[in-house]
Amino acid sequence: MRGGDIQIDPGFDGEYGKVNIFSRQEKQDLRGEKSLLFVLPTPRVSKKEKSVPSRGVKKLGVKKRSAPLPKTAQLAREPGLLEGLNPGQKQAVESKNPAILIQAGPGTGKTRTLTAKIAYLVSEKKTDPNAILALTFTNKAARELTRRIDAFLPREGNKVLASTFHGFCLKFLKEMFEFNAGLMEDRLRLELIKKSLETAVQTDLTAEKKTGGFSGKKGVVQLDRLISLCKQRLLGPDDDLSSLAGSGDAGVLRQVYTAYQQQCHEMNLVDFEELIFLFYSRLVAFPKALVQVQKRFAHIFIDEYQDLNLGQYELVKLLAQTSNLVVIGDPDQSIYGFRGSDNSYFNRFATDYPGCEQILLTQNYRSTQAILDASFQMISRSAENNGSQKIFSNLNTAQKLIVKETATQTAEAVAVGKMIENLVGGLSFFSMDTGRMDAEKMGAGNGASMGEKEYSFSDFAVLFRTKKQGDVFAAVFEREGIPFQTADKTNQYSQDGIQQVLSLFRIITSRANSQDYQTLRDHFKSSSPKTDLKIGKAREGHMVEILQPIYSLARERDSLACLEIFIDFLYLGKEIRQNNRLAGAHENLIALASLYPDPREFMDYLVLDQDPDHLAGSVEKVSLMTLHSAKGLEYPVVFVTGCEQGLIPFARDGKICDNLEEERRLFYVGMTRAMDILCLTYAQKRRIYGVSQKRQRSFFIDDIEKKLAQYETSVMRIRENKKEIQLELFGKDIS
């Protein structure tokens, strides 16, 4: 209890609370469920490695690769390491082939196979952990890999490096090259691109011709996307850019790209997409540095190989020239084409590495067979030939696929909330407070009544195509007391009380944009009487005078000290303590500041952070996230919402879908996140840009045999006899 290992749920709406000794995951482990290779010990917190700046190329401390582990070291796993693996997983672990391609469908134990393979190398083949590199796409996935791998390793000694592609490149740019630039955030990047476009206009009398098809805010966004694609494809401003912008606009793109890079250089900043391009270019330019990295890593593992873009693909080929390479993924789950990913790299692996071993994993340990059958029927309609393989599950339970029609987007959120209520067994007043009842009696024909297990709030995920849809669920859940968390980096850090603190961090680390100064100016103008002097100066526009004390206070202080100094300077302490959401965000910043004591590294990490990294795994809350953020996650109960033409598949103009096959794969990813129950919901009407529009159910649902699903219509009506104030919210027309 004192150690915080006991989870206490206070209960809701008069229901008794619960004291949980074990989490759901721990219960599964103790029951012997195959969610992991074996029951893992409590992960240890390792000290953060320090990187020492150097000039030019720094020689890495390359250790002998096959150095045996100390005899006194006690590994986490003594009984048979291969115990519990299915034949395909065992084949992957024991294979001696220097190049292995593993096609792993959803829920087939991808991470488990990777970890077992790495553990086998360390424990059975006596490979030095320091010679193993594992790359993935999110910090959350990298941390999970590290946690599982560390369970196999001795407490002392070398560690396997598990990192994201961008984090890996940043680490070695700092360790090997004279690299001390900071990472800029989205707002500053767009601001610099806008300035670059304005410069292109001012330097030519024929402005309209000079800017080509790029003008206004939309033009800035287009140029931002194109410059990012250039870097993903390893193209600099002087390269041929006509394949991206066309011959007519390539000249404008080149000029803006050049001006943008010059501004970044002057500010000593780089953007997110620059990291891989820069590291790859340095390795090509400095062969000795490349050899050092190749000697360091004898074994390279790549997770989610189907999501590689050209830059990542070429980097892997470069690093793996002399190394053993294991890649794992599923071309049916390639969903990041908008950021340059291409599943054709997965399909050409055998061509790139002749003689490679190809292994197929088809046994699913996550979902019921009904969910797998439905998702396979949908994805098999794809026009692409990705070699889709039907996966199977031994979880042959009752039908758990529901298709639910609702009246509007708010009715959709209410219906989802009620199903959560029924499955949790708490929130007993939610239906009453809404002032509405289902046309059918509770429990009769209601999809929520299908639940045979006991669920808690952390067992639910609500997925949607756009973040705007998530706002409706957040509003309804907040009003009705359903605890939730959102996988939304911007939402967390843009709150009043947090964004001001981060603006100060950006200023002292020389990566602020104009909005940061405006945010602080507005804050001081609306501050309490305690800050009269600051208010006056802010109104006069004298922000430099206001912020002058901060530079001296923050000088040579670590991130944690700066965090507290800034909160005190902004008089935000009381506001943060009194607001649960702010307090939660503040706690996250404290944790990060403790891990990254250098304020510049602290801000770099915030840039590397992505939406899925903001989901806490140990809290009793419903998870709200986009379909893209759900990649790699799993939940007992999943709601895929907004299953309507224009949303799924997504069409920016509401009519034409840019990439239908990728949208199909995205829907497939969403469906296969579900373990026990999958509910697909859609609305008859939805507000689009403030206008209520009739909606049509997604034709992806029509690709599923009707016999696999239970179809429901959520018809809501106002309760009679009572007209209480608390019922007014749902007594109005839900639209």
Side-chain angles (χ1 to χ4, degrees):
M1 178 75 77
R2 289 175 179 170
D5 296 326
I6 303 297
Q7 301 176 21
I8 301 176
D9 181 358
F12 292 85
D13 285 342
E15 297 290 333
Y16 288 111
K18 296 180 181 179
V19 176
N20 299 310
I21 298 177
F22 300 106
S23 67
R24 174 170 57 82
Q25 185 64 61
E26 290 170 330
K27 289 177 184 177
Q28 290 178 348
D29 294 340
L30 292 173
R31 285 198 298 264
E33 296 183 16
K34 296 182 178 181
S35 57
L36 294 177
L37 180 62
F38 49 83
V39 180
L40 296 177
T42 303
R44 302 176 297 281
V45 179
S46 60
K47 294 183 179 179
K48 182 179 177 296
E49 296 182 4
K50 301 280 186 178
S51 60
V52 182
S54 63
R55 300 200 59 85
V57 179
K58 178 184 175 182
K59 189 172 182 179
L60 293 177
V62 181
K63 302 182 180 180
K64 293 182 180 180
R65 286 204 286 262
S66 298
L69 297 171
K71 292 182 179 180
T72 56
Q74 186 74 18
L75 292 175
R77 177 66 168 172
E78 290 186 354
L81 182 64
L82 305 180
E83 180 183 330
L85 294 178
N86 64 41
Q89 293 171 329
K90 186 176 180 181
Q91 178 187 351
V93 170
E94 293 184 312
S95 175
K96 298 179 181 179
N97 198 299
I100 304 173
L101 172 72
I102 306 172
Q103 182 170 340
T108 55
K110 174 170 60 70
T111 304
R112 179 186 178 194
T113 304
L114 278 182
T115 348
K117 176 74 173 177
I118 292 172
Y120 184 80
L121 287 173
V122 174
S123 62
E124 302 296 326
K125 299 301 180 182
K126 308 306 178 188
T127 301
D128 183 356
N130 194 59
I132 300 174
L133 171 66
L135 294 178
T136 187
F137 284 85
T138 66
N139 289 313
K140 189 179 184 73
R143 285 195 298 267
E144 178 62 15
L145 270 175
T146 300
R147 183 183 75 84
R148 295 197 192 187
I149 292 168
D150 280 355
F152 294 108
L153 303 182
R155 293 183 179 273
E156 303 297 331
N158 296 329
K159 300 296 181 184
V160 172
L161 176 58
S163 175
T164 64
F165 274 91
H166 293 86
F168 166 75
C169 291
L170 179 61
K171 173 182 171 65
F172 280 86
L173 279 169
K174 288 182 176 181
E175 290 187 5
M176 299 185 67
F177 301 96
E178 188 179 356
F179 183 82
N180 61 357
L183 293 184
M184 74 173 77
E185 296 182 78
D186 295 346
R187 287 194 306 196
L188 179 57
R189 187 184 71 248
L190 289 170
E191 189 173 296
L192 295 184
I193 291 174
K194 181 183 178 182
K195 289 181 180 178
S196 300
L197 180 59
E198 291 171 350
T199 300
V201 174
Q202 292 169 1
T203 55
D204 195 277
L205 296 177
T206 56
E208 185 175 349
K209 180 180 178 182
K210 191 69 178 179
T211 58
F214 310 110
S215 60
K217 188 175 182 180
K218 185 177 180 180
V220 171
V221 173
Q222 289 176 324
L223 284 165
D224 175 49
R225 181 180 63 84
L226 288 173
I227 290 173
S228 293
L229 282 174
C230 286
K231 295 183 178 184
Q232 291 162 0
R233 298 186 185 184
L234 306 177
L235 297 174
D238 297 328
D239 292 316
D240 182 6
L241 308 181
S242 58
S243 62
L244 291 176
S247 57
D249 292 333
V252 181
L253 174 59
R254 178 177 295 104
Q255 188 170 1
V256 173
Y257 189 1
T258 301
Y260 167 71
Q261 289 296 101
Q262 181 62 33
Q263 290 184 85
C264 292
H265 177 73
E266 291 171 356
M267 299 177 69
N268 195 30
L269 296 174
V270 297
D271 58 36
F272 183 75
E273 297 298 349
E274 180 83 7
L275 291 173
I276 294 176
F277 185 15
L278 185 59
F279 185 54
Y280 175 85
S281 301
R282 293 287 177 89
L283 291 180
V284 171
F286 296 95
K288 290 184 179 179
L290 173 60
V291 170
Q292 288 182 44
V293 179
Q294 290 173 336
K295 285 184 177 180
R296 161 79 184 270
F297 298 111
H299 298 271
I300 298 176
F301 293 79
I302 309 296
D303 191 16
E304 306 288 5
Y305 194 72
Q306 78 283 345
D307 285 328
L308 264 62
N309 59 38
L310 179 61
Q312 293 160 340
Y313 168 74
E314 292 293 346
L315 178 63
V316 171
K317 285 181 65 179
L318 195 64
L319 296 177
Q321 286 176 351
T322 60
S323 304
N324 294 284
L325 178 63
V326 178
V327 306
I328 192 166
D330 180 10
D332 283 334
Q333 297 185 70
S334 176
I335 59 174
Y336 294 107
F338 63 90
R339 70 181 187 196
S341 71
D342 188 343
N343 61 13
S344 67
Y345 301 134
F346 187 98
N347 296 327
R348 66 197 263 186
F349 187 86
T351 303
D352 292 335
Y353 302 92
C356 71
E357 185 169 1
Q358 300 183 58
I359 299 171
L360 184 65
L361 302 182
T362 57
Q363 183 172 356
N364 180 285
Y365 296 96
R366 174 189 299 160
S367 307
T368 64
Q369 191 62 46
I371 293 172
L372 296 180
D373 289 342
S375 59
F376 178 75
Q377 287 178 3
M378 190 278 304
I379 195 63
S380 62
R381 293 292 189 94
S382 172
E384 297 179 340
N385 182 18
N386 287 326
S388 300
Q389 297 290 330
K390 189 170 184 177
I391 54 180
F392 69 93
S393 169
N394 292 325
L395 304 175
N396 289 309
T397 56
Q399 181 172 278
K400 299 291 184 180
L401 175 60
I402 305 159
V403 178
K404 182 181 283 288
E405 178 187 77
T406 63
T408 65
Q409 72 262 35
T410 307
E412 181 182 45
V414 170
V416 170
K418 289 181 66 179
M419 288 184 67
I420 292 173
E421 165 197 337
N422 291 345
L423 288 167
V424 170
L427 294 176
S428 56
F429 295 131
F430 177 72
S431 297
M432 297 171 60
D433 287 344
T434 62
R436 294 173 177 268
M437 302 288 286
D438 273 328
E440 301 170 3
K441 293 182 180 180
M442 190 68 67
N446 190 326
S449 66
M450 296 174 65
E452 299 170 357
K453 294 184 179 180
E454 178 184 346
Y455 294 100
S456 61
F457 291 115
S458 61
D459 293 329
F460 298 90
V462 180
L463 313 183
F464 31 80
R465 183 62 178 83
T466 68
K467 290 183 179 181
K468 187 70 174 176
Q469 294 170 257
D471 294 340
V472 179
F473 287 93
V476 170
F477 286 9
E478 190 166 9
R479 291 186 192 114
E480 300 309 322
I482 298 178
F484 67 92
Q485 60 174 335
T486 58
D488 190 342
K489 170 183 174 179
T490 303
N491 180 276
Q492 183 171 18
Y493 292 149
S494 63
Q495 301 177 77
D496 271 336
I498 296 298
Q499 64 173 340
Q500 291 88 347
V501 174
L502 294 180
S503 288
L504 281 180
F505 266 107
R506 293 186 193 102
I507 288 172
I508 69 161
T509 57
S510 302
R511 60 189 80 188
N513 59 78
S514 58
Q515 185 60 45
D516 289 314
Y517 289 98
Q518 186 60 49
T519 295
L520 293 171
R521 187 178 293 110
D522 293 342
H523 172 74
F524 289 124
K525 285 181 180 179
S526 60
S527 295
S528 66
K530 288 177 67 177
T531 60
D532 281 340
L533 180 60
K534 293 177 183 177
I535 292 173
K537 290 181 178 178
R539 286 175 178 166
E540 295 168 6
H542 297 163
M543 288 303 297
V544 175
E545 292 182 45
I546 296 175
L547 299 177
Q548 191 59 45
I550 276 296
Y551 289 98
S552 56
L553 288 171
R555 185 176 294 114
E556 297 184 1
R557 305 298 295 271
D558 64 24
S559 302
L560 198 57
C562 287
L563 182 61
E564 299 310 313
I565 289 170
F566 296 166
I567 289 173
D568 182 60
F569 180 77
L570 295 166
Y571 301 102
L572 289 170
K574 183 178 179 181
E575 185 178 349
I576 290 174
R577 288 191 298 270
Q578 293 177 345
N579 184 300
N580 290 334
R581 287 189 66 205
L582 288 179
H586 178 234
E587 288 174 5
N588 288 342
L589 292 178
I590 289 176
L592 291 178
S594 301
L595 287 173
Y596 300 93
D598 183 337
R600 291 175 61 85
E601 288 188 359
F602 171 71
M603 293 305 295
D604 287 344
Y605 182 85
L606 290 183
V607 176
L608 294 175
D609 230 2
Q610 299 181 46
D611 285 345
D613 300 320
H614 289 267
L615 286 175
S618 58
V619 296
E620 283 302 324
K621 295 181 179 181
V622 177
S623 296
L624 308 182
M625 71 193 85
T626 63
L627 286 162
H628 284 97
S629 295
K631 181 72 175 294
L633 305 179
E634 61 181 30
Y635 295 87
V637 184
V638 171
F639 299 90
V640 180
T641 64
C643 297
E644 307 148 20
Q645 295 297 111
L647 283 177
I648 299 177
F650 182 70
R652 294 186 183 278
D653 61 359
K655 298 177 182 179
I656 301 174
C657 177
D658 292 336
N659 191 333
L660 180 61
E661 296 310 316
E662 181 161 306
E663 290 294 316
R664 185 181 291 275
R665 295 193 297 269
L666 182 60
F667 189 48
Y668 178 71
V669 166
M671 292 178 70
T672 53
R673 300 310 93 195
M675 299 166 68
D676 301 336
I677 300 174
L678 171 63
C679 183
L680 311 176
T681 69
Y682 62 96
Q684 295 173 326
K685 290 184 179 181
R686 186 177 298 273
R687 285 196 175 276
I688 308 294
Y689 302 117
V691 179
S692 180
Q693 298 181 7
K694 289 185 178 181
R695 310 294 288 172
Q696 182 180 351
R697 186 174 74 190
S698 171
F699 60 76
F700 288 162
I701 293 179
D702 297 332
D703 291 336
I704 302 169
E705 285 185 275
K706 290 188 179 298
K707 68 179 183 180
L708 289 177
Q710 175 177 322
Y711 288 77
E712 301 178 359
T713 300
S714 181
V715 180
M716 315 292 283
R717 66 170 183 265
I718 302 175
R719 285 200 313 158
E720 300 177 356
N721 302 327
K722 290 189 177 183
K723 293 184 178 180
E724 300 173 289
I725 294 177
Q726 64 265 33
L727 305 185
E728 289 182 358
L729 170 63
F730 295 100
K732 298 177 181 178
D733 177 34
I734 300 178
S735 60

